[in-house]
Amino acid sequence: MAKAGLGLEITELRLGFGSNGHNKKRVFSEVVKDGKCSNESEELHNSQPSMNQIVGWPPIRSHRLKNIERKSNPVCSSESAKSYVKISMDGAPFLRKIDLKSHKGYHDLGTTFENLFGCDGGVLIKGSDWSQYTAIYEDKDGDWMLVGDEPWEMFIESCKKLRIMKKAN
Amino acid sequence: MPALMAFSFPEDVLEHIFTFIDSDKDRNAVSLVCKSWYDIERWSRRRVFIGNCYAVCPRIVIRRFPELRSLSLKGKPHFADFNLVPEGWGACVDPWISAMAEAYPTLEELRLKRMVVTDEGLELISRAFKNFRVLVLSSCEGFTTDGLGAIAANCRNLRELDLRECEVDDRSGHWLSCFPESCTSLVSLNFACLDGEVSFPALERLVGRCTNLKTLRLNRAMPLEKLPNLLKRAPQLVDLGTGSFSVDLYPELSSNLLGAVTGCKALKSLSGFWDVAPACLPSIYPVCSGITSLNLSYATIRRPDFVKFVSQCHNLQQLWVLDYIEDSGLAAVASSCKDLKELRVFPSYLNDAEQNFQLTERGLVSVSEGCPKLHSVLYFCHQMSNEALFTIARNSPNMTRFRLCIIEPHTPDYLTLQQLDAGFGAIVQHCKGLQRLSLSGLLSDRVFEYIGNYGKKLEMLSVAFAGDSDLGLHHVLSGCPSLRKLEIRDCPFGDKALLANAAKLETMRSLWMSSCSVTLGACKLLGQKMPRLNVEVIDERGSPDSLPDDCHVERLYAYRTVAGPRFDMPSFVWTVDEESNARSS
């Protein structure tokens, strides 16, 4: 109750610097992209550094920041945005599970097909006359559809299950 | 008589002799001897390094050096790494590529740092230069994996594709599959900064057929289970960047990995280690004794695991770690790694309440005590003392690069609560070969007096939240005879020191000042006085014509140039000069 708010604060990771001497939350500011830089920093020099956001301090490159933050903040958003679906391939003994939302598009999905089943991912999507296999998915209505017809965003919303099917001939 | 003979020395003999002269400095010296030497030298120069892409323009370079094979270019100022340069500032490489596509069809190497690269540019490189071999992009941005695909597909003789900490729009891992089956020339492949997965089968095949592959740096998306197969195909590897180093290590994978690693007898450099699970580390132990360079700065493992690992690396020369290593971990490094030359300790950014480890100035002191060859340091910590700095200075007189970042600005000596002037003063005094210095903590004008006086070899100085007055800046600009780059943020330095030392700026590559007390009027004056400087005011509040002369500019970037003002500036950048109306493009 009263604790809930406190708990959230403790798990939230921030960086930057606080005022001298206090045990502080640190807040690190990301780039101020649309140029809101003002002469605030002059005031900063004169007063105690109590403001929370200093652009570019400490001097850590953003790629390093990104990786460290990602690792050490387990409560970050990516957990909630996953969307795992089962995927089977005719002839393979085990099914696999993949996270659709972590893919950027059909091309990415094709790469995953390759990595999971060793097949040529590219030709599976939208079918091809040369390939023995084709990729289909089960949608919310229970119908089996060909992968690749819909825009990607619609596809990940409606896809419940994937199957790499051997073609009839 | 002998003098006449010297003048009739055949040109091709001279040219042949010049081929033994490699360093830029020496070649520049040779070119100044006389007109004929200038001419011979310029026709025989094959590689050029340009530290500031706006100091010169493609036309001038091409006119002087008609037969280049290798070009290195640097673009944005260093503080762009920390988001102090607004996006769109400049440093696009495309005009260079277009010009070179015509002038240098035999170009082989391109190395870019902090430049904006586009897919169109990459595509043009891949088509225009038939013998293109080396592409190194450090801290570059603006391109996608489509551009990489073009390079992979079209550069028949590609030896190096090295992406160091670039911001790449990762559209798909398909780019790697664009290397044709006929490609066997790769020596170095580094895609550690990419987000997405590449096709494992394609990578395995590529690695298998490039038998000269020495450097392979994978990205985080590459799971550990794939590593053994890659290593088995490339036992000749010298430099390995693993992908994610975490998996439930079932026995078969464990022995597979161990075997594969042991098979790489030439390994000297290790990096990667994202998400490392301590249980996976022992599979690397077999190669530790040969390792000279180790980057564990993405490995969030704790001190005991660090220590076990690092104490086996007796030949280590370069170590990058997180502060999880703690003072005692660094003490272990000091006793095990006697050849250590470079140390970087990065902060881990946990909430203070969760911080349960100890990394203080003591860690650095013990390394300076135990490692006599230490000459390059980058150290993030929360406390420092003058006493510690004295000790470090005395222990490491051969220090050439010393970058200390005390994370909270204006932090005093924690023992005496005094400024850290004397400590940094000791560093510049004892380390007579010091080339690069970054300051932090509570500092007055005094420290700049020491730096100006003693920093004879100092080439690059970074200053933040320091000093009291213009005197500080004046000490540096009127001293430091070797100074090339000066970057300052959030310091009370203003017009007086800048204008009094205007001439100094032409002896340097560049000066950056942001959030200081430099007025617009002074910038205009500076531009007026110094026609061979571009004095750029980077200010997002509006045109200098609309601002009063006595207002403080947000950012000043002044650099020497033979190319005149540039014409590719965005709306928030103005070159202020003698026209006294700010010029924008």
Side-chain angles (χ1 to χ4, degrees), chain B residues 12-83:
Chain B
D12 30 351
V13 175
L14 272 175
E15 190 172 338
H16 180 68
I17 295 173
F18 290 175
T19 60
F20 295 103
I21 300 172
D22 227 11
S23 96
D24 291 339
K25 265 191 171 166
D26 290 342
R27 280 205 161 246
N28 290 345
V30 157
S31 68
L32 292 175
V33 167
C34 64
K35 284 198 178 135
S36 118
W37 282 38
Y38 176 92
D39 240 354
I40 298 169
E41 192 284 315
R42 75 184 188 90
W43 279 94
S44 66
R45 193 168 320 199
R46 296 286 172 265
R47 52 178 65 235
V48 158
F49 166 78
I50 298 171
N52 173 6
C53 64
Y54 289 122
V56 75
C57 65
R59 184 182 46 83
I60 293 175
V61 176
I62 291 168
R63 188 178 65 198
R64 180 169 174 189
F65 300 116
E67 303 270 323
L68 287 187
R69 300 260 192 281
S70 159
L71 181 69
S72 302
L73 272 173
K74 287 182 164 183
K76 300 185 207 174
H78 174 239
F79 273 175
D81 284 356
F82 317 124
N83 302 320

Side-chain angles (χ1 to χ4, degrees), chain A residues 8-26 28-42 44-49 53-74 96 102-119 122, chain B residues 81-84 86-87 138-139 164-165 167 169-174 177 193 195-202 220 226 274-276 295 297-298 300 320 322 324 346-355 380 382 405-412 439-440 464-468 489-492 514-517 539-541 551-555:
Chain A
L8 204 62
E9 270 179 38
I10 285 174
T11 57
E12 185 188 355
L13 284 161
R14 297 185 279 163
L15 6 103
F17 63 90
S19 41
N20 279 337
H22 290 50
N23 211 352
K24 48 262 173 194
K25 289 280 161 35
R26 286 140 170 263
F28 182 75
S29 79
E30 285 295 79
V31 58
V32 179
K33 268 202 194 293
D34 26 355
K36 300 221 175 78
C37 293
S38 64
N39 275 329
E40 270 180 351
S41 44
E42 285 186 0
L44 177 73
H45 175 75
N46 296 327
S47 68
Q48 271 296 61
Q53 310 208 326
I54 302 279
V55 176
W57 188 266
I60 302 272
R61 314 259 330 269
S62 54
H63 74 93
R64 192 171 283 286
L65 227 40
K66 197 173 36 159
N67 280 303
I68 294 171
E69 279 179 326
R70 218 166 104 188
K71 166 64 191 175
S72 45
N73 186 356
R96 305 294 300 265
S102 75
H103 291 76
K104 300 208 172 89
Y106 286 113
H107 224 151
D108 229 10
L109 186 63
T111 302
T112 298
F113 288 164
E114 264 183 55
N115 290 338
L116 287 178
F117 298 115
C119 53
Chain B
D81 284 356
F82 317 124
N83 302 320
L84 291 182
E87 202 158 305
S138 303
S139 309
R164 301 178 188 174
E165 299 168 3
E167 300 261 342
D169 181 1
D170 195 330
R171 302 234 167 115
S172 96
H174 182 67
S177 311
C193 60
D195 281 331
E197 269 188 13
V198 297
S199 157
F200 307 143
R220 191 177 189 168
K226 298 295 173 184
W274 283 281
D275 314 307
V276 70
N295 182 352
S297 63
Y298 294 105
T300 54
W320 293 21
L322 286 172
Y324 286 122
F346 296 96
S348 55
Y349 286 105
L350 283 190
N351 194 320
D352 265 8
E354 287 178 29
Q355 187 181 319
F380 285 82
H382 300 272
C405 180
I406 305 164
I407 290 178
E408 186 147 331
H410 307 121
T411 304
L439 305 172
S440 58
F465 305 105
D468 304 317
R489 62 163 297 174
D490 294 279
C491 296
S514 57
S515 308
C516 297
S517 311
D539 202 313
E540 289 160 303
R541 292 168 299 176
C551 86
H552 293 163
V553 299
E554 286 175 355
R555 303 170 200 82

